[in-house]
Amino acid sequence: MSAPVISIKNLRKNYGSKAVLHGINLDVYPGQVLGYIGPNGAGKSTTVKILCGLISDYEGEVTVQGIDIKNDPVAAKRRIGYIPELAELYDVLTPSEFLHFMGSLYGMEKDVCESRLTRIMSAFGMQANLHQRMDTFSKGMRQKVLLASGLLHNPDIIILDEPLSGLDANSVIIVKELIGRLAKEGKTIFYCSHMMDVVEKVSDRIVLIDEGRVVADGSFGELNQQGNQSLEQIFARLTVKDAQHNAADDLMQAFEQ
Amino acid sequence: MNWINKALLALALLPRNLYRRWGIDVSQLSAILTAKLMMDDRRPNSIHVRQQHSGGKEVKNATIGTIILSAVMGLLFLFAFAFGNDHVTQLTVYFGMFIIMLCMLLVSDFTSVLIDVRDNQIILPKPVNDRTFIVSRLLHVFLHVCKLVFPMLAPGMIYLAFDSNPAASLLLLFLAIFATLFSVFLINAVYIAILRVTTPERFKSIISYVQIGFAILIYAGSQLLPRFEETVDVAEFTLPDKPWMILAPPYWFAAAFDTVFSGSSKWFQLAAALMSVAVPLLSIYLVVKYLAPAFNQKLAMIAGSEGPATKTAASREMQGKSSLSETLARWLTKSGAERTGFLFSWKMMARSREFKVRVYPSIGYLIVMVVVVFFKQSGTDAPDSQFFAGFKPIAIAYLMNIFLLAAFGQISYSDKYKAAWMFYITPVPFPGPIISGGLKAMVLKFCSFIGIPFLLFSLWVEGPSVLPNILLAVSNQVLLIFAMALIGSNRLPFANPFIEAQRGGQLMRLLLWLFLSGIVALIHFLLFRNAVAVGAGLVLSAAGVWFMLQQIKKITWQEVELAD
């Protein structure tokens, strides 16, 4: 196998006295679509923020295409396209202005940027909105602009955090298909989500973390050794400590009296 | 972008080679500044805090608005030259006004414009190195300050150029740059201090209180300064020529001007002149070296999800305040929808930042009016003062209702108006009780905030005989407000977007209110010495209030304008 694109070795991170990551080890290879899942507070977002160079006070080693993120975060960031979950936008700008701004931060030529952003936004059916201010945009429209801003510079690594939130069914299909096509071209996709059915379908490798540790790592087939379980069920089996089915019982009991 | 921003951008990017030598990516720097200036142009400026979100119209060229407003402030500063006729006095006043105004403007702009927390999400994941990012921020602050400072100085410079000579106006400009550095330092220090003692979450509320104070100060200044000029002979006013003047920063700059301009040689004036240059330079060094790094870190937390601190603050509030409002609600409302409306509005008024920012400045107008009415006529003239004697506190009681009107004008609006779905989905047969509950909460807030303190004050000044008259005045105003609520569009509390607040009807309602209020006050004035008439009026007015409330409670869903 070729050299890993993303390599995480013994990654630890504390917020004050609270440890969030207890030594994550992970190698991701070109062309992989990695589904990164875990319960709330498991440390998913922290891992992603470290990968994107947003958090630098961690222990362990994280390299992106051989570049240590701590030593040269700028070079690493250049290779990554990050699409944050429901992120802020400078919404008094228009998509065209915003994406040109993003493009120039990646050092892109103006013409290249223009033609790409026009095509990406048209593919999402937003060519008519290119020159409208984004403060009136719906959640889905904003998400499309975010997706465009992460893909614009044609990065080798794409980190997606809940990228489908707010999108309509048609756009969801487009994005899912796009993920597959990008992977085929050798791009590496790091996909964080709570939507198990989507993760199950789009990713060819699933990493499940819980309380800052990797508890499962493999393709869906490998995780599903007992056969005919959904990812949701596997997820529940691996992460629920006190039998979860009681929660529904408790809820039902709340109405008795 | 307009030409002003283009020129500013070109100016900021002038030392390209220097930037490159520092390891700054100039094209990224230019891109960030372009985006920032473009956004500044589309944001309503800080002086119009209360008019934010105004109308569906898109804000364009806000920069030009900012510049014009700064120039107008600069014109107000010219008042300083009415003082005495020595440069030290005039310029101490001038720089005093300049520094205060600039600090106020910077405080209200810093979080929203200059330190945009979205940067953390949008720019930091991009391949931008730290130096480029920090320099882009500093340059943005610099450009913003330029937009404020130069127009503000222009009137003073023009005045000096004609009054003395052009060299004097250049000297003023030169010293003002140092005064600006000093102000930036002051603001930075204040921000750090505030962040030391409070959580980032609270920080935002503190900033909005500063904005409220700012609005009040501007209004009070514009009202009281001319009156001050009438009563005190400003031309005779001179600052004492004493060493302790060195404690007042504006004096440094005035002293520096005087030293250069007329070659004064008093030791403390020379020392002050020296400080005008040395202190700003030293303070800028402190900002860059020590304050700025900690500052950015802390500010980043405002947006961050630093959970624990904010959680405790919130839970503390919940426990403390609920009991009082619930007791009041039990006394004043029937159970069900009306009590809900009361409690909901009570809490929203107390906690909604934007409601406070829009309504509280009117307290400033009130204070100013009270000062004007109560203390101005203490002089000699005015044969009619005898005629109006005794009616003054009652007149103020009528004026005070500007606050009630301001609150009434805002109570149906909120940024989070969509949360009003809770009224629409629950099985409430009539929205009337919710509206009446909200109005009761509003009137009660008004009474406890302003009414009772004012009542005590006027009892102290005028004696107990004034009591029935004040009660009648307040009751009449409440009656008018309720009547307006009834004939208005009957809106649910905090359930409509602000955009609509600007639309037509508002002004008509205001005029109607002023007209009716005037008539009622006139009738009251004709009767106010007649105790029997006042008593009867009070009974009638109270009955009217009760009747209006009953009518409001009957408002149906068909009469309520639904948002969305």
Side-chain angles (χ1 to χ4, degrees), chain A residues 52 54 74 77-78 82 84 87-94 97-98 101-102 104-106 133 149, chain B residues 28 31-32 35-36 38-39 42 58-60 116 118-129:
Chain A
C52 297
L54 296 178
V74 174
K77 285 176 188 176
R78 206 164 275 142
Y82 172 44
E88 297 272 6
L89 290 165
Y90 295 139
D91 53 12
V92 292
L93 299 181
T94 67
E97 288 165 345
F98 182 77
F101 171 50
M102 293 287 100
S104 48
L105 291 186
Y106 284 108
R133 291 191 193 175
S149 81
Chain B
Q28 285 181 342
I32 297 175
K36 290 281 174 193
M38 213 143 51
M39 286 192 282
R42 296 178 187 177
E58 288 184 331
V59 180
K60 269 186 221 160
D116 190 338
R118 291 176 300 182
D119 290 351
N120 294 340
Q121 274 191 3
I122 297 174
I123 297 179
L124 288 187
K126 307 292 178 289
V128 178
N129 64 37

Side-chain angles (χ1 to χ4, degrees), chain B residues 210-221:
Chain B
V210 171
Q211 291 175 333
I212 293 168
F214 180 57
I216 294 177
L217 191 81
I218 296 227
Y219 180 76

